[in-house]
Amino acid sequence: MRSVRAIEHCDVCLLMLDATRGFDGQVENIFWLAQRNNKGIVILVNKWDLIEDKETNTMKQYTQRIQKAMEPFVDVPILFISALTKQRIYKAIETAVEVYQRRSKKNKNTYT
């Protein structure tokens, strides 16, 4: 219920998922709830530092799996972070602000 309330009151939803679990059913449900409520979304893949045996294309393949699960909404930013090591945390905030500004500009143009 807290997730539902937070989505209702936010402008941009920072949807954090565990890299070791993936874009599972619970995360997918929250994504679609935010989408239905017309919220900006940034997907944060946390614990990326725990993924072993990473190769050159690991991040790209992981991104493609997430995009496939949220089709046709493939323009949602996906960032790979680590809350523990603070890897790309500031980038997550910057991206959320960019999503907010883009949506604000688009909404402003809609009403003029």
Side-chain angles (χ1 to χ4, degrees):
M1 286 307 292
R2 278 191 275 165
S3 295
V4 172
R5 295 285 181 258
I7 289 170
E8 289 173 352
H9 297 306
C10 76
D11 292 312
V12 177
C13 176
L14 296 175
L15 179 56
M16 186 177 297
L17 64 101
D18 186 324
T20 61
R21 292 181 49 188
F23 199 79
D24 62 10
Q26 184 177 4
V27 174
E28 192 171 346
N29 287 338
I30 294 170
F31 170 82
W32 288 111
L33 178 64
Q35 189 62 42
R36 279 192 308 273
N37 281 278
N38 197 31
K39 303 298 181 176
I41 303 170
V42 177
I43 296 177
L44 304 176
V45 181
N46 191 28
K47 300 184 182 176
W48 189 243
D49 54 318
L50 297 181
I51 300 298
E52 297 178 7
D53 302 326
K54 287 185 265 199
E55 297 177 8
T56 306
N57 291 329
T58 304
M59 192 179 290
K60 182 178 180 182
Q61 292 168 349
Y62 205 100
T63 300
Q64 288 171 340
R65 283 196 302 269
I66 293 171
Q67 288 174 331
K68 180 131 181 77
M70 61 182 192
E71 283 181 338
F73 303 102
V74 294
D75 62 337
V76 175
I78 301 171
L79 296 172
F80 293 82
I81 68 167
S82 171
L84 181 65
T85 64
K86 297 175 182 47
Q87 180 183 25
R88 295 187 197 93
I89 297 298
Y90 292 114
K91 181 67 177 167
I93 301 301
E94 290 171 3
T95 303
V97 170
E98 289 169 9
V99 168
Y100 174 78
Q101 290 171 339
R102 222 177 19 245
R103 291 174 55 79
S104 295
K105 183 184 284 187
K106 188 165 95 175
N107 289 339
K108 200 179 288 184
N109 291 337
T110 304
Y111 298 118
T112 57

